Structures are given as structure tokens and as C-alpha cells.
């Protein structure tokens, strides 16, 4: 077993990075894979949404990037996946990281011994292009870029692509972009459809699987401490994440699964 490491990144806030991280992890776990989520955001939303109180956890990823704890010691066993949790202290760790030698490589070095334990490792990035996101991009094999179809910020994506190009040049030559995840898609609006049609050519990127449809259930699932798949796996958005995860991992999906996602023809 050699884990594929995915960084889920976009410096734009609220585009469904955390939702995508948890849902894809749950989808691969459903298919029998061993999956780890690394919460690299000081807001600790992934940690919260899996039902943990970040204030009560010790150690966390903050201790890991501070060099005080190996990541394996921080890992929690959630019913759906393993989690290396975050805490608000991680915000302070950014400053400490900047002073460390090889600061971009800290997470990569920590994850190296875990590659034999997991099939997939997903890193949930904060909404910035700071040293934490650089750590994720340096540790990753593939970048997944969630994009909200309706409020697409083109300039933001170009900046992210420039950062990825820098990382490829300087700290992680093998990094590749897996593609875009089209999130919070409303297939009824012409604007969403137009954005979707435009986006692939504009950035030279493909959309992985199918767009993820909007559902109020996504806002409810975190309060239940579960992924959307466990909370209400019947909504099209949950089915979409199953299709996306299967495509990433090279697993089969049939037409019924695509249809359940409400995939546009
Ligand atoms: N398919 C969806 N349908 C409806 N709401 C969604 C969907 N996906 C995500 N959301 C909601 O959008 C909000 C933002 O999602 P999320 O926290 O995953 O974004 P993020 O990119 O991680 O944000 P941040 O940049 O703050 O880390 C959340 O309230 C989430 O429940
Ligand atoms: Mg988030």
C-alpha cells in the first residue's frame, strides 16, 4: 500500500474545500480504502465537522508541524476515516514554521512513514496561499481544486496555478493537478452551466467526475459529526462525490451511480 496524497486547495474562502475533503475521504473509505484526513486549517472546520471539539484535543497538527509530535500520535479514529485534527493554535504555528529550516517540507516528511498505512491521504488546506498551504502542496501527489460554479473568481485561480507552478519548480517536481471539483452546482441556472462550460478551456483543467449539486443537507451533516455520505447518502451531491472519488482512485462507476449524481447529459 502506498498512499496517494491529495491537497484540497483554493485560497478563496467558502468554496467547499472542507466539504470536498470529508466527502471524498468518506467515499473512498466506503469502497474499503484506508483513508486519512489531515486538517491543516487553523479554523479546524474538518475537525469540527467530524464531531470533535478542537479545543479539547492534544496533540494536534499544530504539535506535528512544530516538530514536537509525530503525526501518527495525533491521529484519531473516526467511524468513517482517520483524522489528524487541527486546533486554533495552528494559526500560531505559521510563524514558528517560517523559522524552521526546510519549512515547506515539514508535512511531507511527517507523512512519509504513513504512506504505507493508508491508500489515500487528503489534506484540507486553509483559504490562503501561506506556508501551511505550501506544506500541503509540497507533500501532495495531486492537487484537487474545488470551485464554486456561481461565484467563480478567475483571478484567484490564476494565482493558485502560479503557486502550484512555483511549487513544482522549487519544492515538489512531481506535483500534478488532478482537476477541478465543481461545487454547489445549481443545474437550473444558465449562469452555472455557462461557467461550467467555460472553465475547462479557460484554465486548461478538467472537471473531475460530475458537478456536485447544492443541497441543504450539506450544511446539516457537520452538526451530526458525519460526512454527507453517512448523513444522507441519497442526495445527488453525495452521489457526485462517490463518482469523483472513484474517478480519482481509478475505481469503476456505473451509469446508475452517475445518474444518482444528477449528472448533466
Ligand atoms: N453541495 C453543497 N450544497 C450546499 N451547501 C454546500 C455544498 N457544499 C458545501 N456547502 C456549504 O458551503 C459552506 C462552505 O463549505 P466549506 O466549509 O466546505 O468551504 P471551505 O472552502 O472549506 O471554506 P474555508 O475557505 O472557510 O475553509 C458550508 O456551509 C457548507 O456546508
Ligand atoms: Mg475549509
Amino acid at each position: 500500500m502506498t498512499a496517494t496524497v491529495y491537497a484540497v486547495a483554493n485560497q478563496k474562502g467558502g468554496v467547499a474545500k472542507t466539504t470536498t475533503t470529508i466527502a471524498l475521504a468518506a467515499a473512498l473509505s466506503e469502497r474499503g480504502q484506508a483513508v486519512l484526513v489531515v486538517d491543516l486549517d487553523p479554523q479546524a472546520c474538518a475537525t469540527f465537522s467530524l464531531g470533535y471539539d478542537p479545543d479539547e484535543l492534544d496533540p494536534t497538527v499544530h504539535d506535528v508541524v512544530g516538530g514536537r509530535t509525530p503525526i501518527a500520535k495525533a491521529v484519531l479514529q473516526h467511524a468513517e476515516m482517520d483524522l489528524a485534527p487541527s486546533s486554533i493554535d495552528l494559526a500560531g504555528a505559521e510563524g514558528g514554521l517560517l523559522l524552521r529550516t526546510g519549512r515547506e517540507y515539514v508535512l511531507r516528511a511527517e507523512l512519509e512513514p504513513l504512506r504505507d498505512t493508508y491508500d489515500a491521504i487528503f489534506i484540507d488546506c486553509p483559504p490562503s496561499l501561506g506556508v501551511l498551504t505550501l506544506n500541503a502542496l509540497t507533500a501532495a501527489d495531486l492537487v484537487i481544486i474545488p470551485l464554486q460554479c456561481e461565484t467563480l473568481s478567475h483571478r484567484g485561480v490564476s494565482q493558485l496555478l502560479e503557486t502550484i507552478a512555483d511549487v513544482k519548480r522549487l519544492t515538489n517536481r512531481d506535483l500534478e493537478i488532478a482537476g477541478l471539483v465543481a461545487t454547489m452546482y445549481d443545474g437550473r441556472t444558465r449562469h452555472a452551466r455557462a461557467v461550467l462550460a467555460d472553465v475547462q478551456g479557460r484554465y486548461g483543467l478538467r472537471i473531475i467526475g460530475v458537478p456536485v449539486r447544492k443541497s441543504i443537507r450539506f450544511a446539516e451533516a457537520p452538526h451530526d459529526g458525519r460526512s454527507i455520505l453517512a448523513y444522507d447518502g441519497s442526495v445527488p451531491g453525495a452521489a457526485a462525490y462517490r463518482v469523483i472519488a472513484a474517478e480519482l482512485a481509478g475505481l469503476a462507476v456505473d451509469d446508475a451511480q452517475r445518474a444518482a449524481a444528477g449528472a448533466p447529459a
Side-chain angles (χ1 to χ4, degrees), residues 126-171:
S128 74
L129 294 174
V131 69
L132 290 170
T133 295
L134 292 178
N135 262 266
L137 295 174
T138 301
D141 301 306
L142 291 164
V143 194
I144 296 168
I145 306 173
L147 266 193
Q148 191 176 345
C149 300
E150 283 181 16
T151 57
L152 195 67
S153 163
H154 297 292
R155 263 177 58 215
V157 173
S158 319
Q159 203 189 350
L160 175 59
L161 296 181
E162 279 168 27
T163 300
I164 291 168
D166 284 346
V167 167
K168 282 185 74 144
R169 201 159 47 82
L170 297 169
T171 60

Side-chain angles (χ1 to χ4, degrees), residues 181-257:
V181 171
T183 65
M184 296 181 237
Y185 181 66
D186 184 349
R188 290 166 306 186
T189 67
R190 193 183 311 173
H191 180 61
R193 287 199 303 274
V195 166
L196 204 58
D198 178 55
V199 73
Q200 311 201 40
R202 184 181 290 265
Y203 299 111
L205 295 171
R206 71 192 186 98
I207 289 167
I208 310 164
V210 295
V212 179
R213 287 185 183 252
K214 268 190 187 161
S215 163
I216 185 67
R217 307 297 266 170
F218 277 93
E220 296 169 4
H223 298 284
D224 204 43
R226 297 194 280 171
S227 75
I228 185 70
L229 279 74
Y231 180 69
D232 187 351
S234 69
V235 296
Y241 279 119
R242 289 193 175 101
V243 171
I244 294 164
E247 190 172 310
L248 282 172
L251 303 169
V253 273
D254 56 32
D255 288 346
Q257 283 168 310

Side-chain angles (χ1 to χ4, degrees), residues 96-115:
L97 256 182
L98 289 172
L99 301 174
R100 288 188 70 179
T101 305
R103 61 199 177 200
E104 288 94 352
Y105 297 91
V106 172
L107 185 63
R108 184 184 182 92
E110 285 292 333
L111 290 180
E112 206 58 52
L114 291 189
R115 283 194 183 240

